[in-house]
């Protein structure tokens, strides 16, 4: 069951972990941490039940309202509770570049940007593990692949061994991993191999919060405890020139895709639509001198088929450029879908419906499209990469997703 804000029973204790009593004594600090979380659960549940009876909360920066949210009032209340309470402990063990480092200008930039921002975070980071609600394992799978993996060997065991050894060090030095069996710990990876590397430790795979770009339910991604990480392809530190686009009347192309022919979905898309329809412009590569970003800005819908894995950076690219994203794939859990109401501002197309793509998109009326595009503009703030991070941006939305999963875990002593 996915965590979300349209169910009065969620967030709820879907996972219970019994904590052995330390030398026969109650862990008072842990009890205090859990009491704070219990109070937050009550406040959020009350907000879920009373969403239609309360006016929007006041906020100096932004007030979530409207259909882009599954429950705007409950999300805002939860976000404010997170800001007030949530504390993250970042393990200091491990040497860069495999630990405490990551890529910041590539298709994997979500991984490096979060690690870097978490290292710099002051408000929600604690240096005292006794006060922490969650513990961050600051390794980078991208850097592991670069530094440890032997190219073309197809042998990922050295990566898994590195992670297994790291957890052994932490679990020997600190009590926190063993007391929860990893349930209040999280990892983050945007590399395709992230899910496989996480299987190096059974508790990490099954209990921990795994924040993954490769959010594939057919490969063990569990929406009730794992977090879908947006894949953001940043080539520079300046995002502003990748943001914004014209209104619907200045977008003559119905749908657009350009990209490599790989993975299980794209060959089908290219076979059905490549070079066959002026309204649905699908190709592998654009002609020399044609700007990819400019064509997206001239398109009403931007097609986002899965590649080798389910995630695609085109989803965020489309949102940045105010092009309504069309997600093509069957097993992908979209980012922040516990908060965001994706059908309000995007189109989901099953792989089997690729031949019907034009019919599906042409059925969206001009008035409906204008509404969807306006909503894309609204949700864009939740995918923005800022330095330093700003409230409600992608860094804080990732933290909020982790916060919700932590609310689903209750740690307590044995009876």
């Amino acid at each position: 069951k996915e965590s979300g804000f349209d169910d009065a029973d969620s967030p709820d204790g879907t996972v219970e972990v019994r904590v052995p009593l330390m030398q026969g004594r109650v862990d008072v600090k842990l009890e205090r941490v859990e009491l704070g979380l219990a109070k937050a659960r009550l406040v959020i549940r009350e907000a879920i039940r009373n969403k239609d009876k309360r006016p929007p909360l006041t906020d100096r920066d932004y007030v979530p309202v409207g259909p882009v949210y599954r429950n705007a009032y409950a999300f805002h209340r939860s976000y404010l509770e997170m800001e007030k309470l949530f504390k993250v402990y970042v393990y200091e063990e491990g040497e860069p570049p495999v630990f405490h480092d990551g890529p910041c200008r590539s298709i994997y930039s979500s991984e490096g940007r979060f690690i870097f921002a978490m290292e710099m975070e002051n408000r929600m980071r604690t240096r005292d593990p006794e006060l922490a609600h969650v513990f961050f394992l600051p390794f980078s799978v991208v850097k592991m692949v670069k530094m440890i993996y032997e190219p073309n060997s197809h042998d990922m065991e050295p990566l898994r061994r590195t992670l297994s050894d790291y957890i052994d060090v932490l679990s020997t030095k600190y009590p926190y991993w063993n007391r929860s069996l990893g349930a209040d710990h999280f990892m983050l990876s945007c590399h395709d191999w992230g899910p496989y590397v996480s299987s190096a430790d059974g508790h990490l795979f099954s209990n921990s919060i795994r924040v993954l770009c490769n959010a594939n339910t057919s490969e063990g991604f569990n929406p009730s405890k794992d977090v879908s990480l947006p894949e953001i392809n940043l080539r520079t530190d300046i995002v502003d020139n990748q943001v914004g686009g014209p209104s619907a009347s200045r977008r003559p192309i119905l749908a657009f895709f350009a990209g490599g022919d790989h993975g299980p979905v794209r060959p089908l898309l290219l076979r059905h639509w490549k070079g066959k329809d002026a309204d649905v412009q699908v190709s592998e590569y654009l002609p020399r001198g044609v700007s990819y970003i400019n064509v997206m800005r001239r398109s009403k819908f931007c097609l986002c088929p899965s590649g080798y894995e389910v995630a695609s950076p085109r989803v965020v690219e489309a949102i940045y450029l105010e092009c309504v994203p069309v997600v093509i794939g069957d097993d992908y859990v979209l980012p922040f879908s516990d908060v965001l109401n994706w059908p309000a501002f995007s189109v989901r197309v099953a792989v089997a419906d690729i031949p019907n793509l034009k019919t599906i998109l042409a059925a969206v009326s001009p008035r409906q499209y204008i509404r969807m595009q306006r909503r894309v503009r609204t949700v864009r703030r939740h995918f923005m990469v800022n330095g330093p991070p700003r409230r409600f941006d992608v860094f804080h939305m990732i933290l909020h997703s982790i916060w919700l999963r932590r609310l689903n875990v209750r740690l307590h002593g044995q009876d």
Side-chain angles (χ1 to χ4, degrees):
K1 169 177 171 289
E2 186 175 338
S3 301
F5 284 133
D6 42 14
D7 180 350
D9 294 326
S10 185
D12 201 355
T14 58
V15 180
E16 287 212 352
V17 182
R18 291 197 174 274
V19 184
L21 294 174
M22 307 291 282
Q23 298 175 343
R25 291 181 291 122
V26 173
D27 188 333
V28 177
K29 290 184 178 178
L30 176 61
E31 297 267 315
R32 194 175 296 133
V33 164
E34 287 299 315
L35 180 61
L37 290 172
K39 289 178 179 177
R41 283 189 200 102
L42 290 175
V43 169
I44 297 166
R45 274 206 208 103
E46 193 270 341
I48 291 169
R49 283 193 291 267
N50 295 297
K51 65 173 181 174
D52 298 324
K53 304 173 187 175
R54 300 289 175 87
L57 297 161
T58 57
D59 197 299
R60 70 183 187 276
D61 293 322
Y62 176 68
V63 177
V65 291
V68 299
Y69 301 103
R70 286 169 62 166
N71 183 332
Y73 179 78
F75 164 53
H76 198 184
R77 172 57 70 195
S78 174
Y79 189 93
L80 295 176
E81 287 295 309
M82 174 189 76
E83 288 187 319
K84 183 171 68 177
L85 189 70
F86 199 36
K87 295 298 177 189
V88 180
Y89 181 76
V90 181
Y91 283 112
E92 295 182 2
E93 286 71 20
E95 295 296 323
V98 171
F99 301 91
H100 305 282
D101 193 7
C104 291
R105 295 183 191 89
S106 78
I107 197 170
Y108 305 120
S109 64
S110 297
E111 186 173 306
R113 298 275 174 161
F114 182 87
I115 291 171
F116 180 74
M118 199 67 248
E119 294 281 342
M120 303 299 290
E121 170 68 17
N122 290 317
R123 183 171 184 175
M124 279 183 266
R125 182 179 178 181
T126 179
R127 304 283 177 172
D128 183 354
E130 295 290 333
L131 301 178
H133 299 94
V134 292
F135 299 79
F136 180 36
L137 306 168
F139 61 87
S140 166
V141 175
V142 174
K143 293 290 185 176
M144 281 187 188
V145 172
K146 184 176 181 180
M147 305 301 295
I148 300 169
Y149 176 69
E150 184 69 37
N152 303 316
S153 69
H154 306 292
D155 181 12
M156 286 186 263
E157 278 309 304
L159 281 64
R160 286 160 47 89
R161 206 157 45 241
T162 299
L163 181 52
S164 180
D165 291 346
Y166 184 63
I167 291 174
D168 283 346
V169 168
L170 299 181
S171 62
T172 301
K173 186 173 180 179
Y174 303 98
Y176 310 109
W177 178 270
N178 289 331
R179 80 177 183 183
S180 70
L181 302 179
D184 55 355
H185 287 57
F186 76 95
M187 61 160 283
L188 180 141
S189 174
C190 203
H191 197 280
D192 291 351
W193 297 351
Y196 180 76
V197 173
S198 74
S199 68
D201 184 284
H203 294 315
L204 177 63
F205 189 90
S206 300
N207 297 342
S208 297
I209 301 165
R210 299 179 307 149
V211 185
L212 301 169
C213 284
N214 189 6
N216 188 341
T217 54
S218 71
E219 294 180 3
F221 184 89
N222 178 358
S224 69
K225 77 162 192 71
D226 296 328
V227 171
S228 177
L229 178 65
E231 189 168 302
I232 304 176
N233 188 5
L234 291 182
R235 296 173 183 86
T236 70
D237 291 334
I238 302 169
V239 182
D240 291 350
N241 63 353
Q242 300 177 40
V243 171
S247 63
S249 62
R250 293 163 56 205
R251 292 176 179 263
I253 303 167
L254 178 65
F256 165 68
F257 169 79
D261 183 1
H262 58 254
V265 177
R266 293 184 186 185
L268 297 173
L269 178 67
L270 288 161
R271 188 168 77 238
H272 279 283
W273 293 105
K274 180 180 175 181
K276 294 184 179 177
D277 194 306
D279 292 329
V280 182
Q281 296 192 10
V282 171
S283 62
E284 283 183 73
Y285 303 104
L286 290 173
R288 186 183 297 274
V290 176
S291 165
Y292 176 78
I293 287 177
N294 287 346
V295 180
M296 288 186 82
R297 283 193 168 116
R298 296 179 64 240
S299 304
K300 290 183 174 68
F301 296 96
C302 289
L303 307 181
C304 310
S306 299
Y308 286 117
E309 299 294 348
V310 289
S312 169
R314 285 167 179 76
V315 175
V316 175
E317 288 172 350
I319 290 170
Y320 280 5
L321 298 171
E322 299 175 17
C323 179
V324 173
V326 179
V327 181
I328 306 175
D330 295 334
D331 300 307
Y332 180 35
V333 177
L334 287 158
F336 316 139
S337 51
D338 36 21
V339 167
L340 299 180
N341 177 29
W342 280 86
F345 59 90
S346 70
V347 178
R348 190 83 186 241
V349 174
V351 174
D353 284 330
I354 285 175
N356 307 318
L357 203 50
K358 185 174 181 178
T359 303
I360 292 167
L361 299 181
V364 177
S365 70
R367 178 176 293 182
Q368 186 182 358
Y369 179 83
I370 289 169
R371 279 199 300 266
M372 293 180 79
Q373 190 190 33
R374 190 183 307 129
R375 292 165 185 168
V376 167
R377 199 176 301 127
T378 298
V379 299
R380 186 173 64 209
R381 75 169 55 241
H382 300 313
F383 294 89
M384 291 301 296
V385 176
N386 296 308
R390 300 175 197 162
R391 297 180 71 224
F392 295 101
D393 69 2
V394 71
F395 173 71
H396 290 99
M397 290 297 287
I398 294 165
L399 280 175
H400 183 261
S401 295
I402 296 165
W403 156 253
L404 288 183
R405 277 37 176 208
R406 179 60 179 89
L407 288 171
N408 283 345
V409 176
R410 296 180 184 180
L411 307 181
H412 52 86
Q414 292 177 332
D415 297 329

Coordinates of all heavy atoms in Angstrom, one line a residue, residues 156-223:
M156 N 29.2 -7.2 -10.3 CA 28.8 -6.1 -9.3 C 29.1 -6.5 -7.9 O 28.8 -5.8 -7.0 CB 27.3 -5.8 -9.5 CG 27.1 -5.0 -10.8 SD 25.4 -4.4 -10.9 CE 24.7 -5.7 -12.0
E157 N 29.7 -7.7 -7.7 CA 29.9 -8.1 -6.3 C 30.8 -7.2 -5.5 O 30.6 -7.0 -4.3 CB 30.5 -9.6 -6.3 CG 29.5 -10.6 -6.4 CD 28.3 -10.5 -5.4 OE1 28.6 -10.4 -4.2 OE2 27.2 -10.4 -5.8
P158 N 31.9 -6.6 -6.2 CA 32.7 -5.6 -5.4 C 31.9 -4.5 -4.8 O 32.2 -4.0 -3.8 CB 33.7 -5.2 -6.4 CG 33.9 -6.3 -7.4 CD 32.5 -6.9 -7.5
L159 N 30.9 -4.0 -5.6 CA 30.0 -2.9 -5.1 C 29.2 -3.4 -3.9 O 29.1 -2.7 -2.9 CB 29.1 -2.5 -6.2 CG 29.7 -1.5 -7.3 CD1 30.7 -2.2 -8.1 CD2 28.6 -1.1 -8.2
R160 N 28.6 -4.6 -4.1 CA 27.8 -5.1 -3.0 C 28.6 -5.3 -1.7 O 28.2 -5.1 -0.6 CB 27.1 -6.4 -3.4 CG 26.0 -6.2 -4.4 CD 25.6 -7.4 -5.2 NE 25.5 -8.6 -4.3 CZ 24.4 -9.0 -3.7 NH1 23.3 -8.3 -3.9 NH2 24.3 -10.1 -3.0
R161 N 29.9 -5.8 -1.9 CA 30.8 -6.1 -0.8 C 31.1 -4.8 -0.1 O 31.2 -4.7 1.1 CB 32.0 -6.8 -1.3 CG 32.7 -7.7 -0.3 CD 33.5 -8.8 -0.9 NE 34.4 -8.3 -2.0 CZ 34.2 -8.8 -3.3 NH1 33.3 -9.7 -3.6 NH2 35.0 -8.3 -4.2
T162 N 31.4 -3.7 -0.9 CA 31.7 -2.4 -0.3 C 30.6 -2.0 0.6 O 30.8 -1.5 1.8 CB 32.0 -1.4 -1.4 OG1 33.1 -1.8 -2.2 CG2 32.3 0.0 -0.8
L163 N 29.4 -2.1 0.2 CA 28.2 -1.6 0.9 C 28.0 -2.5 2.2 O 27.7 -2.0 3.3 CB 27.0 -1.6 0.1 CG 25.7 -1.2 0.7 CD1 25.9 0.2 1.4 CD2 24.5 -1.1 -0.3
S164 N 28.1 -3.8 2.0 CA 28.0 -4.8 3.1 C 29.0 -4.5 4.2 O 28.7 -4.5 5.4 CB 28.1 -6.2 2.6 OG 28.0 -7.1 3.6
D165 N 30.3 -4.2 3.8 CA 31.3 -3.9 4.8 C 31.0 -2.6 5.5 O 31.3 -2.5 6.7 CB 32.7 -3.8 4.1 CG 33.2 -5.2 3.6 OD1 32.6 -6.2 4.0 OD2 34.1 -5.2 2.7
Y166 N 30.5 -1.6 4.8 CA 30.1 -0.3 5.4 C 29.1 -0.5 6.4 O 29.2 0.0 7.6 CB 29.7 0.6 4.3 CG 29.4 2.0 4.7 CD1 30.4 2.8 5.3 CD2 28.1 2.6 4.7 CE1 30.2 4.1 5.7 CE2 27.8 3.9 5.1 CZ 28.9 4.6 5.6 OH 28.6 5.9 6.0
I167 N 28.0 -1.3 6.1 CA 27.0 -1.5 7.1 C 27.5 -2.3 8.3 O 27.2 -2.0 9.5 CB 25.8 -2.2 6.5 CG1 25.1 -1.2 5.5 CG2 24.8 -2.7 7.5 CD1 24.0 -1.8 4.7
D168 N 28.4 -3.2 8.1 CA 29.1 -3.9 9.2 C 29.8 -3.0 10.1 O 29.7 -3.1 11.4 CB 30.1 -5.0 8.7 CG 29.3 -6.2 8.1 OD1 28.1 -6.4 8.4 OD2 30.0 -7.0 7.4
V169 N 30.5 -2.0 9.5 CA 31.2 -1.0 10.4 C 30.3 -0.2 11.2 O 30.5 -0.1 12.4 CB 32.1 -0.1 9.5 CG1 32.6 1.1 10.3 CG2 33.2 -0.8 8.8
L170 N 29.2 0.2 10.6 CA 28.2 1.1 11.3 C 27.5 0.3 12.4 O 27.3 0.8 13.5 CB 27.2 1.7 10.3 CG 27.8 2.6 9.2 CD1 26.6 3.1 8.3 CD2 28.6 3.7 9.8
S171 N 27.1 -0.9 12.1 CA 26.4 -1.7 13.0 C 27.2 -2.2 14.2 O 26.7 -2.5 15.3 CB 25.7 -2.9 12.3 OG 26.7 -3.8 11.8
T172 N 28.5 -2.3 14.0 CA 29.4 -2.6 15.1 C 29.7 -1.4 16.0 O 29.8 -1.5 17.2 CB 30.8 -3.2 14.5 OG1 30.5 -4.3 13.7 CG2 31.7 -3.6 15.6
K173 N 29.9 -0.2 15.3 CA 30.2 1.0 16.1 C 29.1 1.6 16.8 O 29.2 2.2 17.9 CB 30.9 2.0 15.1 CG 31.5 3.2 15.7 CD 32.2 4.1 14.7 CE 32.8 5.3 15.4 NZ 33.5 6.1 14.4
Y174 N 27.9 1.5 16.2 CA 26.7 2.2 16.7 C 25.6 1.2 17.0 O 25.5 0.1 16.3 CB 26.2 3.2 15.8 CG 27.2 4.3 15.4 CD1 27.9 4.2 14.2 CD2 27.4 5.4 16.1 CE1 28.8 5.2 13.8 CE2 28.3 6.4 15.8 CZ 29.0 6.3 14.6 OH 29.8 7.3 14.2
P175 N 24.6 1.5 17.9 CA 23.5 0.6 18.2 C 22.3 0.8 17.2 O 21.4 -0.1 17.2 CB 23.1 1.0 19.6 CG 23.4 2.4 19.7 CD 24.7 2.6 18.8
Y176 N 22.3 1.8 16.4 CA 21.1 2.2 15.8 C 20.6 1.3 14.6 O 19.4 1.1 14.5 CB 21.3 3.7 15.2 CG 21.8 4.6 16.3 CD1 23.1 5.1 16.2 CD2 21.1 4.9 17.4 CE1 23.7 5.9 17.2 CE2 21.6 5.7 18.4 CZ 22.9 6.2 18.3 OH 23.4 6.9 19.3
W177 N 21.6 0.8 13.9 CA 21.2 -0.2 12.8 C 20.5 -1.4 13.4 O 19.5 -1.9 12.9 CB 22.4 -0.5 11.9 CG 22.0 -1.5 10.8 CD1 22.1 -2.9 10.9 CD2 21.6 -1.2 9.5 NE1 21.7 -3.5 9.7 CE2 21.4 -2.5 8.9 CE3 21.3 -0.1 8.8 CZ2 20.9 -2.6 7.5 CZ3 20.8 -0.1 7.5 CH2 20.6 -1.4 6.9
N178 N 21.2 -2.0 14.4 CA 20.7 -3.3 14.9 C 19.4 -3.1 15.7 O 18.5 -4.0 15.7 CB 21.7 -3.9 15.9 CG 22.9 -4.4 15.1 OD1 22.8 -4.8 13.9 ND2 24.1 -4.4 15.7
R179 N 19.2 -2.0 16.3 CA 18.0 -1.8 17.1 C 16.7 -1.7 16.3 O 15.6 -2.1 16.7 CB 18.1 -0.6 18.0 CG 17.8 0.7 17.4 CD 17.8 1.9 18.3 NE 17.5 3.2 17.6 CZ 17.5 4.3 18.2 NH1 17.9 4.5 19.5 NH2 17.2 5.4 17.5
S180 N 16.8 -1.3 15.0 CA 15.7 -1.2 14.1 C 15.7 -2.1 12.9 O 14.8 -2.1 12.1 CB 15.5 0.3 13.6 OG 16.5 0.6 12.7
L181 N 16.8 -2.9 12.9 CA 17.1 -3.7 11.7 C 17.1 -2.9 10.4 O 16.6 -3.3 9.4 CB 16.1 -4.9 11.6 CG 16.1 -5.8 12.8 CD1 15.0 -6.9 12.6 CD2 17.4 -6.4 13.1
G182 N 17.6 -1.6 10.5 CA 17.7 -0.8 9.4 C 16.4 0.0 9.0 O 16.4 0.8 8.1
A183 N 15.3 -0.2 9.7 CA 14.1 0.4 9.3 C 14.0 1.9 9.4 O 13.2 2.6 8.8 CB 12.9 -0.2 10.1
D184 N 14.9 2.6 10.3 CA 14.9 4.0 10.3 C 16.2 4.6 9.6 O 16.6 5.7 9.9 CB 14.8 4.5 11.8 CG 15.9 3.9 12.7 OD1 16.7 3.0 12.2 OD2 16.0 4.3 13.9
H185 N 16.7 3.8 8.7 CA 17.9 4.2 7.9 C 17.4 4.4 6.4 O 16.5 3.7 6.0 CB 19.0 3.2 8.0 CG 19.7 3.2 9.3 ND1 19.0 2.9 10.5 CD2 21.0 3.3 9.6 CE1 19.9 3.0 11.5 NE2 21.1 3.2 10.9
F186 N 18.1 5.3 5.7 CA 17.8 5.4 4.3 C 19.0 5.6 3.5 O 20.1 6.1 3.9 CB 16.8 6.6 4.1 CG 17.4 8.0 4.1 CD1 17.8 8.6 3.0 CD2 17.4 8.7 5.3 CE1 18.3 9.9 3.0 CE2 17.9 10.0 5.4 CZ 18.3 10.6 4.2
M187 N 18.9 5.1 2.3 CA 20.0 5.2 1.2 C 19.3 6.0 0.1 O 18.1 6.1 0.0 CB 20.5 3.9 0.7 CG 19.4 3.0 0.1 SD 20.0 1.7 -0.9 CE 20.4 2.6 -2.5
L188 N 20.2 6.5 -0.8 CA 19.7 7.2 -2.0 C 20.5 7.0 -3.2 O 21.8 7.0 -3.1 CB 19.6 8.7 -1.7 CG 19.1 9.7 -2.7 CD1 18.3 10.8 -2.1 CD2 20.3 10.3 -3.6
S189 N 19.9 6.6 -4.3 CA 20.7 6.3 -5.5 C 19.9 6.6 -6.8 O 18.7 6.2 -6.8 CB 21.1 4.8 -5.5 OG 21.7 4.5 -6.8
C190 N 20.5 7.2 -7.7 CA 19.9 7.5 -9.0 C 20.5 6.5 -10.1 O 20.0 6.6 -11.3 CB 20.0 8.9 -9.4 SG 18.8 9.4 -10.6
H191 N 21.4 5.7 -9.7 CA 22.0 4.8 -10.7 C 21.0 3.6 -11.0 O 20.4 3.1 -10.0 CB 23.4 4.3 -10.3 CG 24.2 3.7 -11.3 ND1 24.0 2.4 -11.8 CD2 25.2 4.2 -12.1 CE1 24.9 2.1 -12.8 NE2 25.6 3.2 -13.0
D192 N 21.0 3.1 -12.2 CA 20.2 2.0 -12.5 C 20.4 0.8 -11.6 O 19.6 -0.1 -11.3 CB 20.4 1.5 -14.0 CG 19.9 2.5 -15.0 OD1 19.2 3.5 -14.5 OD2 20.1 2.4 -16.2
W193 N 21.7 0.6 -11.1 CA 22.1 -0.5 -10.3 C 21.7 -0.3 -8.8 O 22.0 -1.2 -8.0 CB 23.6 -0.8 -10.5 CG 23.9 -1.2 -11.9 CD1 23.1 -1.5 -12.9 CD2 25.3 -1.4 -12.4 NE1 23.8 -1.8 -14.0 CE2 25.1 -1.7 -13.8 CE3 26.5 -1.3 -11.8 CZ2 26.3 -2.0 -14.5 CZ3 27.6 -1.5 -12.6 CH2 27.5 -1.9 -14.0
G194 N 21.2 0.8 -8.5 CA 20.9 1.1 -7.1 C 20.1 0.0 -6.4 O 20.5 -0.5 -5.3
P195 N 19.0 -0.5 -7.0 CA 18.2 -1.5 -6.3 C 19.0 -2.8 -6.1 O 18.9 -3.5 -5.0 CB 17.1 -1.8 -7.3 CG 16.9 -0.5 -8.0 CD 18.3 0.0 -8.2
Y196 N 19.8 -3.2 -7.1 CA 20.6 -4.4 -7.0 C 21.7 -4.3 -5.9 O 21.9 -5.2 -5.1 CB 21.3 -4.8 -8.3 CG 22.1 -6.1 -8.3 CD1 21.5 -7.3 -8.2 CD2 23.5 -6.0 -8.2 CE1 22.2 -8.5 -8.1 CE2 24.2 -7.2 -8.1 CZ 23.6 -8.4 -8.1 OH 24.3 -9.6 -8.0
V197 N 22.4 -3.1 -5.9 CA 23.4 -2.9 -4.9 C 22.8 -2.9 -3.5 O 23.4 -3.5 -2.5 CB 24.2 -1.6 -5.2 CG1 25.1 -1.3 -4.0 CG2 24.9 -1.7 -6.5
S198 N 21.6 -2.4 -3.3 CA 20.9 -2.4 -2.0 C 20.6 -3.8 -1.5 O 20.4 -4.0 -0.3 CB 19.6 -1.6 -2.1 OG 18.6 -2.3 -2.8
S199 N 20.6 -4.8 -2.4 CA 20.4 -6.2 -2.0 C 21.6 -6.8 -1.3 O 21.6 -8.0 -0.9 CB 19.9 -7.1 -3.1 OG 21.0 -7.2 -4.1
A200 N 22.7 -6.0 -1.2 CA 23.9 -6.5 -0.5 C 23.6 -6.8 1.0 O 24.3 -7.7 1.6 CB 25.0 -5.5 -0.6
D201 N 22.6 -6.2 1.5 CA 22.2 -6.5 2.9 C 20.6 -6.7 2.9 O 19.9 -5.8 2.4 CB 22.5 -5.3 3.8 CG 22.2 -5.6 5.3 OD1 21.0 -5.5 5.6 OD2 23.2 -5.8 6.1
G202 N 20.2 -7.8 3.4 CA 18.8 -8.1 3.4 C 17.9 -7.1 4.1 O 16.8 -6.8 3.7
H203 N 18.4 -6.6 5.2 CA 17.6 -5.6 6.0 C 17.6 -4.3 5.2 O 16.5 -3.6 5.2 CB 18.2 -5.4 7.4 CG 18.1 -6.6 8.3 ND1 17.0 -7.3 8.4 CD2 19.1 -7.1 9.1 CE1 17.2 -8.3 9.2 NE2 18.5 -8.2 9.7
L204 N 18.6 -3.9 4.5 CA 18.6 -2.7 3.7 C 17.6 -2.8 2.6 O 16.8 -1.9 2.4 CB 20.0 -2.4 3.1 CG 20.2 -1.2 2.2 CD1 19.9 0.1 3.0 CD2 21.5 -1.2 1.6
F205 N 17.5 -3.9 2.0 CA 16.6 -4.2 0.9 C 15.2 -4.2 1.4 O 14.3 -3.6 0.8 CB 17.0 -5.4 0.1 CG 16.2 -5.6 -1.2 CD1 16.7 -5.2 -2.4 CD2 15.0 -6.3 -1.2 CE1 16.0 -5.3 -3.5 CE2 14.2 -6.5 -2.3 CZ 14.8 -6.0 -3.5
S206 N 14.9 -4.9 2.5 CA 13.6 -5.2 2.9 C 13.0 -4.2 3.9 O 11.8 -4.0 4.0 CB 13.5 -6.6 3.5 OG 13.9 -7.6 2.6
N207 N 13.9 -3.6 4.7 CA 13.4 -2.8 5.8 C 13.7 -1.3 5.6 O 12.9 -0.5 6.0 CB 14.1 -3.2 7.2 CG 13.7 -4.6 7.6 OD1 12.7 -5.2 7.1 ND2 14.5 -5.2 8.5
S208 N 14.9 -1.0 5.1 CA 15.3 0.4 5.0 C 14.5 1.2 4.0 O 13.9 0.6 3.1 CB 16.8 0.5 4.7 OG 17.5 0.0 5.7
I209 N 14.5 2.5 4.1 CA 13.9 3.4 3.1 C 14.9 3.6 2.0 O 16.0 4.1 2.2 CB 13.6 4.8 3.8 CG1 12.6 4.6 5.0 CG2 13.0 5.7 2.7 CD1 12.5 5.8 5.9
R210 N 14.6 3.1 0.8 CA 15.4 3.2 -0.3 C 14.9 4.3 -1.2 O 13.8 4.1 -1.8 CB 15.5 1.8 -1.1 CG 16.1 0.7 -0.2 CD 16.1 -0.6 -1.0 NE 14.8 -0.9 -1.6 CZ 14.6 -1.6 -2.7 NH1 15.7 -2.0 -3.4 NH2 13.4 -1.8 -3.2
V211 N 15.7 5.3 -1.4 CA 15.3 6.4 -2.2 C 15.9 6.2 -3.6 O 17.1 6.3 -3.8 CB 15.7 7.8 -1.6 CG1 15.2 8.9 -2.5 CG2 15.3 7.9 -0.2
L212 N 15.1 5.9 -4.6 CA 15.6 5.3 -5.9 C 15.0 6.0 -7.1 O 13.8 6.2 -7.1 CB 15.4 3.8 -6.0 CG 15.9 2.9 -4.9 CD1 15.3 1.5 -5.0 CD2 17.4 2.9 -5.0
C213 N 15.8 6.4 -8.1 CA 15.3 6.8 -9.4 C 14.6 5.6 -10.0 O 13.6 5.7 -10.7 CB 16.4 7.3 -10.3 SG 17.0 9.0 -9.8
N214 N 15.3 4.4 -9.9 CA 14.8 3.2 -10.5 C 13.6 2.6 -9.7 O 13.8 1.6 -9.0 CB 15.9 2.2 -10.8 CG 15.5 1.0 -11.6 OD1 14.4 1.0 -12.1 ND2 16.4 0.0 -11.7
A215 N 12.5 3.3 -9.6 CA 11.4 3.0 -8.8 C 10.5 2.0 -9.5 O 9.4 2.3 -9.9 CB 10.6 4.2 -8.3
N216 N 11.0 0.8 -9.6 CA 10.3 -0.2 -10.4 C 9.7 -1.3 -9.5 O 10.4 -2.1 -8.9 CB 11.3 -0.9 -11.4 CG 10.7 -1.8 -12.4 OD1 9.6 -2.3 -12.2 ND2 11.4 -2.1 -13.4
T217 N 8.3 -1.3 -9.5 CA 7.6 -2.3 -8.6 C 7.9 -3.7 -9.0 O 7.8 -4.6 -8.2 CB 6.1 -2.0 -8.6 OG1 5.6 -2.0 -10.0 CG2 5.8 -0.6 -8.0
S218 N 8.3 -4.0 -10.3 CA 8.5 -5.3 -10.7 C 9.9 -5.8 -10.2 O 10.3 -7.0 -10.4 CB 8.4 -5.5 -12.2 OG 9.5 -4.8 -12.9
E219 N 10.7 -4.9 -9.7 CA 12.1 -5.2 -9.2 C 12.2 -5.0 -7.7 O 13.3 -4.7 -7.2 CB 13.1 -4.4 -10.0 CG 13.2 -4.8 -11.4 CD 14.2 -4.0 -12.2 OE1 14.9 -3.2 -11.5 OE2 14.3 -4.1 -13.4
G220 N 11.1 -5.1 -7.0 CA 11.1 -5.0 -5.5 C 10.9 -3.7 -4.9 O 11.0 -3.5 -3.7
F221 N 10.7 -2.6 -5.7 CA 10.4 -1.3 -5.2 C 9.0 -1.4 -4.4 O 8.0 -1.8 -5.0 CB 10.3 -0.2 -6.3 CG 10.1 1.2 -5.7 CD1 11.2 2.0 -5.4 CD2 8.9 1.7 -5.6 CE1 11.0 3.2 -4.9 CE2 8.7 3.0 -5.1 CZ 9.8 3.8 -4.8
N222 N 9.0 -0.9 -3.2 CA 7.9 -1.0 -2.3 C 7.4 0.4 -2.0 O 8.0 1.0 -1.1 CB 8.2 -1.8 -1.1 CG 7.0 -1.9 -0.1 OD1 6.0 -1.4 -0.3 ND2 7.2 -2.6 1.0
P223 N 6.3 0.9 -2.6 CA 5.9 2.3 -2.4 C 5.6 2.7 -0.9 O 5.6 3.8 -0.6 CB 4.7 2.5 -3.3 CG 4.8 1.4 -4.3 CD 5.5 0.2 -3.6

